[in-house]
């Protein structure tokens, strides 16, 4: 079968680069168009990411392949869906609000942006966690009269949180969650990004709009599909989101109040077993384990654990009883630009191909 022809919008940014790092030789997807802002339009990709001083600003650890380096970047505002079966978007929310519906009229759009996450007919899709929310795609198509659709992945901080909460909710029921994040610098992208002067030797105690996003999305992701929309999970979620001096990998400290008493070993077992049916689908970007639980009290650490399973597993450690909320507490590390953005979006698309929502 010939591969699904893909356009990547926002290809020059931090999340967009992770798409290009992961897409060479993908068995299902073939990149045929690259889009970005007017600033990059009409340039060869390697020139579009070259700064005024001549530096090629490629941030991914995997190399930029020649095939993509020599592709011309189009102005996303003028790009058409002609010759494209699927669009991945990695642009800021304001641009996504305009671009995504234009493409979704014709073809599926799998997004890393927040623009449509809170619309009642749009799923915030997280593979293995809420597969049944894919059914909302048909509601969206019908309501909007689109041939395609928009499916955003969650905010990068929500990803590790929702993945680790899901097995706990299924096995023991969750009443309350309190989470504090220590988020990496790459999470802010590169335009304008975080100034070195602000972050070196420092912790910034506020990330605009982040806490609201994580609180809202977690309840939607863990909620149930009602036939017409998603009924939020009845879980109280409260977050503090901070920025720390780490390049990649978001660390989170999570306190969970459970409905049913659970021992630490039961919690670890529920997390370790989570998602085995989904893993068995053997989609190209699926890790062997959605959650990796460490018994080492000094793990997880972003530098040591963000790249586990190519950045696609959430690494959990320090699982302990939590006496104040009545439940369990733990630390997690999740790769914000891979599972939390580009590769997470690819995994969504791979599942939607498997489920028949995306095709040629
Ligand atoms: N970074 C992460 O860890 C992460 C994680 C999850 C989700 N996300 C989401 O991914 C999206 C991109 O974030 P990022 O961190 O990659 O940001 P970024 O590094 O600042 O990149 C932004 C990208 O958007 C393009 N762009 C800007 N304005 C545009 C416009 N009007 N039309 C078309 N393209 C435009 C830029 O192109 P030029 O180079 O031409 O300016 C660039 O390719 C955001 O919605 C963000 O919330 C990011």
């Amino acid at each position: 079968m010939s591969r699904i022809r893909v356009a990547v919008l926002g290809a020059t940014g931090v999340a967009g680069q992770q798409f290009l790092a992961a897409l060479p030789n993908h068995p299902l997807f073939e990149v045929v168009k690259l889009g970005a802002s007017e600033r990059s339009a009409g340039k060869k990709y390697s020139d579009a990411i070259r700064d005024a001083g001549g530096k090629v600003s490629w941030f991914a650890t995997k190399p930029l392949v020649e095939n993509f380096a020599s592709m011309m970047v189009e102005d996303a505002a003028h790009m058409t869906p002609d010759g494209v079966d699927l669009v991945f978007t990695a642009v800021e929310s304001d641009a996504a609000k305009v671009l995504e519906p234009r493409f979704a009229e014709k073809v599926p759009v799998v997004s890393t942006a927040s623009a449509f996450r809170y619309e009642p007919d749009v799923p915030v899709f997280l593979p293995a966690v809420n597969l049944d929310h894919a059914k909302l795609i048909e509601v969206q198509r019908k309501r909007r009269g689109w041939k395609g659709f928009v499916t955003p992945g969650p905010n990068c901080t929500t990803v590790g949180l929702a993945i680790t909460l899901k097995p706990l909710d299924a096995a023991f029921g969750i009443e309350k969650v309190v989470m504090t994040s220590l988020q990496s610098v790459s999470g802010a992208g590169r335009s304008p990004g975080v100034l070195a002067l602000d972050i070196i030797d420092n912790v910034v105690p506020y990330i605009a709009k982040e806490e609201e996003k994580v609180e809202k999305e977690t309840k939607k992701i863990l909620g149930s599909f009602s036939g017409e929309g998603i009924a939020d999970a009845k879980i109280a979620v409260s977050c503090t989101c901070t920025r720390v001096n780490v390049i990649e990998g978001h660390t989170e400290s999570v306190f969970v109040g459970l409905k049913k008493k659970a021992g630490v070993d039961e919690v670890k077992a529920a997390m370790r077993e989570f998602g085995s049916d989904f893993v068995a689908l053997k989609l190209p970007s699926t890790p062997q384990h959605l959650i990796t639980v460490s018994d080492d009290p000094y793990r997880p650490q972003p530098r040591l654990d963000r790249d586990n399973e190519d950045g696609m597993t959430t690494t959990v450690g320090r699982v302990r009883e939590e006496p104040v909320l009545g439940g369990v507490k733990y630390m997690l590390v999740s790769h914000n630009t891979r599972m939390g953005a580009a590769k997470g979006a690819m995994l969504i698309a791979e599942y939607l191909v498997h489920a028949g929502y995306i095709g040629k």
Side-chain angles (χ1 to χ4, degrees), residues 10-16 36-37 39-40 76 90-93 95 99 112-113 156 186-191 336-337 340-341:
T12 50
V14 169
S37 77
R39 188 195 65 78
S40 309
V91 298
E92 287 304 332
S93 180
L99 291 171
T112 61
C156 46
S186 62
R190 46 132 243 229
S191 42
N336 54 294
T337 59

Side-chain angles (χ1 to χ4, degrees), residues 10-24 45 49 55-65 68 186-187 189-190 247-249 306-307 310-311 335-338 341-343 346:
T12 50
V14 169
Q17 293 189 6
Q18 288 289 352
F19 278 109
L20 300 195
L23 279 165
Y45 183 82
I49 60 170
K55 180 174 74 78
V56 175
S57 296
W58 175 257
F59 298 106
T61 45
K62 290 186 179 159
L64 169 63
V65 298
F68 295 155
S186 62
R190 46 132 243 229
I247 291 176
E248 288 202 287
R306 61 191 166 207
D307 293 329
D310 204 27
H335 200 300
N336 54 294
T337 59
R338 293 199 198 153
K343 283 200 74 178
M346 286 166 56

Side-chain angles (χ1 to χ4, degrees), residues 51-210:
D51 70 14
K55 180 174 74 78
V56 175
S57 296
W58 175 257
F59 298 106
T61 45
K62 290 186 179 159
L64 169 63
V65 298
E66 179 47 36
N67 186 19
F68 295 155
S70 57
M71 273 175 85
M72 294 301 280
V73 180
E74 293 182 44
D75 182 350
H78 297 119
M79 189 192 278
T80 70
D82 296 346
V84 167
D85 308 304
L86 166 67
V87 176
F88 286 122
T89 57
V91 298
E92 287 304 332
S93 180
D94 286 348
K97 238 176 220 143
V98 179
L99 291 171
E100 290 179 352
R102 198 161 61 70
F103 285 92
E105 271 184 36
K106 303 271 193 268
V107 292
V109 174
V110 179
S111 171
T112 61
S114 63
F116 286 85
R117 280 186 203 138
Y118 315 116
E119 304 266 324
D121 58 352
V122 175
V124 180
F125 198 52
L126 187 54
V129 172
N130 60 1
L131 293 181
D132 61 323
H133 290 201
K135 294 179 198 144
L136 199 50
I137 288 174
E138 284 313 328
V139 177
Q140 183 191 134
R141 273 177 158 157
K142 219 161 115 194
R143 198 170 286 169
R144 298 183 187 237
W146 288 347
K147 246 178 102 193
F149 54 84
V150 178
T151 322
N155 170 284
C156 46
T157 310
T158 312
V159 170
L161 182 65
I163 286 178
T164 54
L165 291 178
K166 177 69 183 184
L168 304 187
D169 197 33
F172 316 111
I174 294 177
E175 270 174 356
K176 294 174 185 165
V177 176
V178 178
M179 185 278 281
T180 301
S181 69
L182 301 92
Q183 297 181 213
S184 72
V185 171
S186 62
R190 46 132 243 229
S191 42
V194 181
L195 278 179
L197 280 171
D198 285 333
I199 199 68
I200 292 174
D201 187 29
N202 209 5
V203 173
V204 180
Y206 176 63
I207 302 173
K209 297 185 191 157
E210 193 79 350

Side-chain angles (χ1 to χ4, degrees), residues 321-333:
E321 273 186 32
E322 205 299 300
V324 177
L325 298 183
V328 69
K329 56 187 171 184
Y330 54 91
M331 301 285 291
L332 71 84
V333 164

